[in-house]
């Protein structure tokens, strides 16, 4: 398993520290393969944002860029992931992306890869071992439920726009889950970088474990 990067969402460009880390880490720039966060729709605009503004702000330029969604066959999707230099799970709708990953059988292919794997917002949620499908992750009608993620690391990476760490309702929903697995909560433009068990933190990130909340040192 290669390096993993859990990212929140960025409206414009990567913050300087995140850009610096990615610039130093990403050496093989032949093929960026992105997995849509809304595979049934056209996310080419988000893909363009990621390639041109995010990576562009870090002076990272890939020779080839590919976006996997429902328009691509299962066999082609697996081939692209196997040939990727960097694998990136886009933002969007966590449950839609999760179902797509299962339907296409992409989990094993991704986990087997030794290449860097980046999850952005919904994509980072799906890198988690499990995550809570509730109002803040898109479940507006049903009861909250735990969903199996890809299991890249044994935690739940929780990212949402404008997260308020002092929101009592939000914390009351997350605390019981923290008895089962740690939760990393991002407040602003953040990143967790994981390399051989070592975690690097950029931005305002909290760890909720056994209902105890700790602010991590960046």
């Amino acid at each position: 398993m290669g390096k993993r990067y859990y990212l929140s969402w960025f409206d414009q460009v990567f913050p300087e520290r995140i850009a610096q880390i990615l610039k130093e880490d990403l050496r093989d720039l032949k093929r960026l393969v992105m997995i849509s966060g809304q595979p049934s729709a056209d996310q080419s605009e988000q893909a363009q944002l990621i390639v041109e503004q995010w990576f562009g702000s870090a002076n990272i330029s890939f020779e080839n860029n590919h976006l996997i969604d429902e328009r691509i066959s299962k066999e082609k999707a697996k081939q692209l992931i196997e040939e990727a230099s960097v694998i990136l799970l886009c933002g969007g709708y966590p449950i839609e992306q999760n179902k797509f990953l299962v339907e296409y059988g992409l989990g094993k292919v991704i986990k087997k890869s030794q290449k860097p794997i980046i999850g952005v917002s919904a994509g980072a949620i799906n890198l988690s071992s499990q995550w809570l499908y509730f109002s803040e992750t898109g479940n507006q009608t049903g009861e909250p439920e735990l969903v199996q993620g890809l299991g890249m690391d044994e935690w739940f990476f929780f990212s949402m726009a404008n997260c308020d760490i002092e929101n009592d309702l939000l914390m009351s929903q997350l605390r019981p889950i923290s008895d089962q697995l740690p939760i990393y909560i991002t407040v602003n433009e953040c990143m967790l970088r994981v390399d051989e068990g070592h975690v690097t933190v950029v931005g305002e990130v909290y760890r909720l474990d056994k209902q105890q909340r700790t602010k991590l040192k960046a």
Side-chain angles (χ1 to χ4, degrees):
M1 192 181 298
K3 296 182 178 72
R4 282 92 65 206
Y5 305 84
Y6 295 76
L7 304 180
S8 61
W9 184 256
F10 310 97
D11 289 329
Q12 297 297 326
V13 300
F14 285 140
E16 182 178 353
R17 178 58 179 150
I18 292 177
Q20 178 187 10
I21 290 173
L22 292 175
K23 179 70 173 177
E24 292 173 355
D25 280 1
L26 303 183
R27 299 296 184 178
D28 181 355
L29 302 178
K30 290 180 181 177
R31 191 184 299 262
L32 171 66
V33 174
M34 295 169 279
I35 301 173
S36 175
Q38 190 179 6
S40 61
D42 183 359
Q43 273 204 319
S44 56
E45 187 174 328
Q46 182 183 143
Q48 184 177 13
L49 168 71
I50 291 169
V51 170
E52 296 182 2
Q53 292 185 222
W54 293 4
F55 284 115
S57 69
N59 293 316
I60 298 171
S61 179
F62 294 91
E63 295 177 19
N64 297 282
N65 306 294
H66 302 272
L67 178 63
I68 294 174
D69 57 24
E70 289 181 355
R71 295 172 293 184
I72 293 179
S73 70
K74 296 178 183 180
E75 293 72 21
K76 182 62 175 179
K78 291 177 181 177
Q79 180 186 354
L80 286 172
I81 292 171
E82 289 170 349
E83 296 175 351
S85 304
V86 176
I87 300 166
L88 186 146
L89 281 71
C90 295
Y93 297 87
I95 197 67
E96 289 188 32
Q97 186 181 62
N98 186 276
K99 290 178 178 178
F100 178 74
L101 292 168
V102 172
E103 180 185 348
Y104 268 53
L106 301 182
K108 290 182 180 179
V109 186
I110 295 172
K111 290 191 73 172
K112 188 170 66 174
S113 176
Q114 296 300 311
K115 300 299 184 177
I117 299 172
I118 301 171
V120 177
S121 190
I125 289 172
N126 273 315
L127 292 185
S128 307
S129 59
Q130 296 183 79
W131 55 274
L132 184 64
Y133 183 42
F134 69 132
S135 58
E136 305 299 347
T137 53
N139 185 353
Q140 304 301 327
T141 57
E143 290 295 320
E145 61 176 303
L146 277 176
V147 175
Q148 294 295 320
L150 292 179
M152 305 303 295
D153 295 281
E154 292 298 318
W155 59 54
F156 166 21
F157 183 88
F158 175 65
S159 173
M160 62 171 285
N162 303 314
C163 177
D164 180 4
I165 195 69
E166 301 302 335
N167 184 316
D168 291 336
L169 176 58
L170 171 64
M171 297 307 296
S172 70
Q173 293 171 303
L174 293 177
R175 283 194 189 96
I177 310 303
S178 74
D179 286 329
Q180 302 179 44
L181 77 165
I183 304 173
Y184 285 92
I185 305 170
T186 64
V187 171
N188 57 8
E189 297 184 328
C190 303
M191 178 178 76
L192 289 185
R193 172 187 179 272
V194 187
D195 181 19
E196 296 182 349
H198 178 73
V199 179
T200 302
V201 178
V202 180
E204 187 177 352
V205 182
Y206 294 82
R207 178 182 168 100
L208 185 63
D209 191 8
K210 302 290 191 271
Q211 306 202 25
Q212 298 300 311
R213 193 178 77 196
T214 305
K215 184 177 181 180
L216 302 181
K217 292 183 178 180

